[in-house]
Amino acid sequence: MSYSKEKVESILNNGISRRSFLKGLAASGVLSSLPGGILQANEDLNTKIPYLGQKNYQTFRNACPRNCYDTCSIKTYVKDGVMQFIEGATESTYTRGGCCVKGNSYVKRVYSARRLKFPMMQVGGKGSGNWKRVSWDYAMETIAKKLLEMKKEDGTLLGAALTKYSGNFGITHYGVEGMFNSIGYTTRLAGTPCWPAGIDAQNLDMGDMWCNDPEEMKDSKFIILWGVNPASNSVHSMKYIYEAKSKGAKVVVIDPVFTEAASKASQYIQIKTGTDGLLALGMAKIIIDANLHDQKWLDANSKGYKEYKAYLDKEIKLDNVSKITGIPLAMIKELALSFVKAKPATIWMGYGMQRHTNGGSMIRAIDALVAVSGNIGKYAGGARYGHLSTWGFNYAALSQTKPEGSVGYTGPEGAKGEFAQVGGEKAAYTDRFLNINKTARELLNAKEPKVRLLWVACKNVFSQDFDRNQLIRAFQQLDLVVVADQFFNETVKWADIVLPVATQFEEYDVNVSYWHYWLSLNEQAIKPLFEVKSDVEIAALLSKHMNKLEAGSCTFPQSVDTKAMTIKEFNPGIYEQFGIKSWEELKNGSVKAKAVIPYADGKFKTPSGKFEFYSDKALELFGSALPTYLEVRKPYDKFRMTSPHSRWSLHSQFQNLEWMEDMHPEPYVYINPDDAEAKMVKEGDTVAVFNKQGLLRVKAKVTDNVQAGTVLMYEQWYNNNIYNVNELVDDTSSDMGAFKTGAPGVALHDTFVNFRKL
Amino acid sequence: MQKAFLVDGSICLGCNTCAMACKNQYHQDDGILWRKVREIGAEDYLMDNNNILPTLTSYQKAPKVKMPMERFYFSLACNHCENPACVAICPVGAHTKDPETGICKHDQTICIGCGGCVKACPFGASKFNTKMGQAEKCSMCWERQADGKTTACVQSCPVHAITIIDLHDPKYKEYANASPIGIDYAINAETHPSTRFILPHMPKEVYRQAKG
């Protein structure tokens, strides 16, 4: 089946009415029992069309805005207004003509019968499944009325809360925050579940989170992939790792899991989960004891090296390091010495490692190891974690003024999240910030005023947040839950109003990565399908309805064009950084920022201006100035459960698509053979995995890719499958995160479970 | 000339990009894949859980090599055999072998949906589309190749684990008769399938935690 113009038109025009029973329902406004029914597009049969030759397509520039290292530059092929296929843009040496398995499913994402198509209201109450199709005007008027009513009754709009995160990192999507900025002072679920402990750690050490260009890894002589699995989650980075390897570099993977990347490395070292920081401290001690550390660089560029060395001398016993990490001492010594002798050498730290109660301290310990080895500020070196150095947009969609007379929060101010660091003017009031990583309890506990309205955008709360039972309670006590999304996901089930959102192919936008250094324009390639609208168009519509009911109640523009909105995000700084004169040059393909080696000038944005082994800020915030060993969370059940990212999805996106199901139809729990034998579980058995939080039924795969005492289940959201790994995860915080992103991270991988055969 | 896919298992990530790139280009119906990434598992790796390749077992000569689950892969579409069974069996000439490129093409405008090719292909390359009542399979993107582009799978692979070679080019002689692990069934098959493989291997040093 391919998507021809006729087919798409028939879906658009007749998708509902051609089925008489649905026609009746739609005409009379009677409820459909299942949203799936009203959403079902007609999947007509159509013979395949072959590739028709370059000249027969219109091409557009797009970019993948999902939360991924690779942020691919896309070239979209359109015929008669219908997307035919996409390719990775060849202009980007990073994307190099290919997308990943997820990106290649975009045509299905756009034309999937499962897409949300119209605004709908759940009139039988949250979770009832009684949905009614409504007009955009009706939906937005309902929301506007509610907001104004709340403002009148509470004297403030702090009862309106926004939770938005990484479903779409396109810059204009900060217009969602802009929409909330433009109605007054509101409540925000702040922080990030992704990488906060590591961001804090790197900021304490270096005053920034700023990594070398990943393309440089091709020239590294020694690469440690530490708790990161690019073979699944950053496939385009693998070519640089392979290139380095083919030129003689050693590639070592340190991970509790024998990952896909580990299977392609020179050496794999399995470490006991949560002991990585200690290994790094041990390696640093070995390097210093062998007098192979870079004393010259340390003297010139670091603060507190003496205290750090004293700590290593006094507290770090190598026999203990070996015992606790489970790695033979000889292997640790060989690793440390070969790492320090290879120049340049680099370490890439994954975001899983910091999802522990000692996560931030582990990243600090590894930063310190790289510093000791003299690889910070060097080409093809660096302590790699991520960067936001190419994110200097105007955030025009975000920066809105408050309506006159807005009343807000007078408590202590929190940070606003790591991506959009442009603040409004300093005022007597602020927004109220709740911890996004404890969404359920924060929504339940917020008082004066209590949260009454929740807007969810770019986020699947029920798949991504923790403690499902509490979440249901929290959602049910809200007067109005609005979810703007592309698919009927778990969060939509608990919404009152659902608004269908455009894909990136239906709007203009601009994208950069937190890993590589490319900038991509996202053009509107096709007209929006059905009644979908972009997030900023929704904001404009809300503004129109609020102002109609009460003039001046919302400052967001009342009509927007995503192209104009995108153009407003550019500034001379961006042009200078990327070496272009106008945004229009991006129509010819992505461009890369001018090469800069982070910290090559020895300038760090720390209070001392140096790399800080000893950080006063760390002492003040976390009680330890030095990167020290901190024990990981104590088990509260029989087996540790880790829930890393899968290659099939980006958090809860993509796995739900029909095409993805052809390759990966169901979830599994991966169990070590020893544990499986003890529990009499065989490959393919259905097991119950359970703990104090909840229970999941899932099929077993038996493999020593995971170590004994550990089970692994990927974080994913399936269509029509109740699997959700976060049902087992509590909201225990990691050690760091509150410094830069407003809230600590979550110790996701410090989850403990038991299991048995069903 | 005999165009052939060369699949490098030593660098293949098993990411399935190639298979999805094919869907992206041709919009195969839900449930149908022209290209499939298969796991090279332990001793039973010829066993295909999805039963896509039932006939493979008859060629089974798999060595008993223990390798970890979901870590080593090979990607397979149509083999564009030198002596294709689909061409031989098709009663209406919907399957043809291009004399210039060696690509086995299937013409859906002619196909009567008898299913002969689906039964005849030893590799399960021909799929039966029940909605259309017709067969379909990998075309080695001959239309794209004619337009100066490479195949969707080759273009999309993030690490260039799939390339297209000419089996008759002396440059690729070493691959022409290669007999990789468990895949030797293919080369010895009467159809003379053209896909060639470079073997995967474990990292030189693998350290795992002691039990318990």
Side-chain angles (χ1 to χ4, degrees), chain B:
Chain B
M1 185 183 192
Q2 176 59 59
K3 287 198 177 200
F5 290 113
L6 174 65
V7 178
D8 187 346
S10 71
I11 58 170
C12 171
L13 306 171
C15 69
N16 276 267
T17 300
C18 51
M20 192 63 92
C22 185
K23 281 223 144 190
N24 159 59
Q25 181 71 62
Y26 297 104
H27 303 188
Q28 290 125 39
D29 273 306
D30 301 342
I32 294 179
L33 293 171
W34 288 358
R35 175 170 284 285
K36 190 164 188 270
V37 176
R38 294 180 169 83
E39 182 189 340
I40 300 175
E43 57 274 31
D44 62 345
Y45 84 95
L46 280 182
M47 196 180 80
D48 188 307
N49 290 332
N50 294 330
N51 208 22
I52 306 273
L53 281 184
T55 52
L56 278 191
T57 46
S58 58
Y59 294 96
Q60 186 164 355
K61 282 184 194 168
K64 305 279 180 198
V65 179
K66 186 79 183 163
M67 286 201 274
M69 175 188 281
E70 294 182 5
R71 293 298 177 266
F72 298 106
Y73 305 88
F74 68 98
S75 170
L76 198 66
C78 172
N79 283 302
H80 301 281
C81 302
E82 292 201 300
N83 185 22
C86 55
V87 173
I89 203 163
C90 183
V92 293
H95 284 281
T96 50
K97 186 162 176 68
D98 189 304
E100 273 178 38
T101 60
I103 295 173
C104 291
K105 298 178 182 173
H106 176 249
D107 187 345
Q108 263 173 343
T109 61
I110 301 174
C111 178
I112 55 168
C114 70
C117 54
V118 179
K119 286 190 193 117
C121 175
F123 312 105
S126 272
K127 313 287 180 192
F128 196 77
N129 184 324
T130 49
K131 273 167 127 184
M132 294 168 63
Q134 282 184 317
E136 57 181 85
K137 71 166 192 69
C138 158
S139 62
M140 210 189 248
C141 292
W142 65 268
E143 299 97 335
R144 279 178 62 105
Q145 293 206 51
D147 199 36
K149 292 167 100 85
T150 187
T151 63
C153 53
V154 169
Q155 169 155 353
S156 215
C157 178
V159 293
H160 278 192
I162 312 180
T163 44
I164 293 173
I165 58 168
D166 175 8
L167 270 191
H168 299 156
D169 185 334
K171 212 166 41 171
Y172 301 110
K173 200 167 171 246
E174 59 174 310
Y175 301 124
N177 293 306
S179 181
I181 270 185
I183 311 294
D184 49 2
Y185 70 88
I187 287 161
N188 296 331
E190 287 169 8
T191 60
H192 296 292
S194 69
T195 309
R196 292 295 180 267
F197 303 90
I198 296 171
L199 299 189
H201 48 76
M202 286 281 275
K204 284 200 183 102
E205 304 158 74
V206 173
Y207 170 73
R208 283 194 165 87
Q209 294 277 330
K211 281 184 187 177

Side-chain angles (χ1 to χ4, degrees), chain A residues 258-382:
Chain A
F258 183 75
T259 60
E260 288 87 347
S263 74
K264 305 291 180 279
S266 323
Q267 183 184 21
Y268 165 61
I269 298 174
Q270 190 171 57
I271 186 168
K272 280 191 187 147
T273 313
T275 66
D276 308 78
L278 185 61
L279 177 62
L281 294 168
M283 286 169 70
K285 183 184 168 83
I286 291 164
I287 288 167
I288 294 166
D289 286 353
N291 205 26
L292 290 168
H293 58 292
D294 190 339
Q295 189 70 53
K296 205 174 133 198
W297 186 87
L298 292 166
D299 287 345
N301 299 297
S302 75
K303 178 199 164 195
Y305 171 67
K306 234 183 230 168
E307 289 89 338
Y308 168 67
K309 183 178 180 304
Y311 170 79
L312 296 180
D313 287 343
K314 188 159 173 272
E315 302 291 341
I316 301 300
K317 307 278 177 264
L318 294 178
D319 285 343
N320 254 349
V321 172
S322 172
K323 203 173 118 202
I324 295 170
T325 61
I327 304 168
L329 187 53
M331 189 178 285
I332 299 176
K333 283 186 175 162
E334 155 67 22
L335 175 67
L337 297 178
S338 55
F339 172 71
V340 77
K341 285 175 189 165
K343 299 253 175 351
T346 188
I347 298 179
W348 178 0
M349 292 164 270
Y351 304 139
M353 195 196 320
Q354 48 96 55
R355 291 185 173 133
H356 290 285
T357 53
N358 61 350
S361 72
M362 296 204 287
I363 301 288
R364 285 203 71 200
I366 297 174
D367 284 349
L369 169 64
V370 182
V372 163
S373 75
N375 281 300
I376 286 180
K378 305 282 160 64
Y379 174 82

